[in-house]
């Protein structure tokens, strides 16, 4: 479940209407309203699009999603990208984690 308060607070902080957020996230204003009032569940793609529209950083999105399965997968992928920038895999558990995330990404791409 996504904690909607950071998204709603950021929308208010930026002084954006639902229509403006919708235009930035390429969806309808009613959809944004349903997301931000909790009337509709958001997919991971929706969360990322909304975060992008509201200029919320990726680490903040990951923190927001950390209690969901998708959030843990995104966090693992983020850590993987950070690790790739800083060097190679150092342990077997890191390699296993990378394999798990790769499988998750393949499954999401084919869905």
């Amino acid at each position: 479940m996504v904690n909607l308060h950071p998204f709603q607070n950021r929308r208010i902080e930026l002084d954006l209407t639902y229509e403006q957020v919708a235009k930035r996230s390429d969806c309808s204003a009613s959809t944004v309203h349903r997301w931000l009032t909790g009337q509709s569940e958001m997919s991971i793609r929706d969360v990322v699009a909304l975060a992008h529209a509201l200029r919320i950083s990726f680490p903040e999105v990951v923190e927001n999603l950390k209690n969901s399965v998708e959030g843990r997968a995104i966090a693992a992928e983020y850590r993987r990208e950070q690790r790739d920038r800083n060097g190679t895999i150092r342990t077997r558990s890191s390699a296993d984690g990378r394999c798990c995330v790769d499988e998750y990404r393949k499954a999401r791409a084919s869905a």
Side-chain angles (χ1 to χ4, degrees):
M1 185 76 167
V2 176
N3 178 7
L4 300 170
H5 295 293
F7 292 96
Q8 189 69 280
N9 292 343
R10 183 69 173 158
R11 183 188 71 81
I12 292 167
E13 178 183 316
L14 294 173
D15 196 30
L16 295 173
T17 64
Y18 289 121
E19 290 80 15
Q20 291 168 319
V21 175
K23 186 174 181 179
R24 289 180 176 194
S25 57
D26 197 30
C27 62
S28 71
S30 61
T31 298
V32 171
H33 182 266
R34 285 194 308 271
W35 288 342
L36 294 178
T37 57
Q39 297 172 10
S40 178
E41 286 289 318
M42 293 191 288
S43 70
I44 294 303
R45 290 181 183 161
D46 298 335
V47 171
V48 171
L50 187 60
H52 181 73
L54 295 172
R55 296 184 178 98
I56 296 174
S57 70
F58 187 71
E60 289 177 77
V61 172
V62 170
E63 180 66 26
N64 191 18
L65 295 172
K66 71 180 180 182
N67 293 324
S68 69
V69 172
E70 294 90 353
R72 287 192 298 274
I74 288 172
E77 186 168 346
Y78 178 74
R79 285 191 301 274
R80 174 183 152 199
E81 289 175 7
Q82 292 295 97
R83 188 172 45 244
D84 287 348
R85 284 188 220 142
N86 298 328
T88 59
I89 297 174
R90 292 179 174 79
T91 65
R92 180 174 171 79
S93 63
S94 293
D96 291 343
R98 176 178 276 191
C99 181
C100 178
V101 170
D102 287 344
E103 291 300 318
Y104 175 80
R105 290 172 73 195
K106 286 178 192 174
R108 295 296 282 172
S110 66

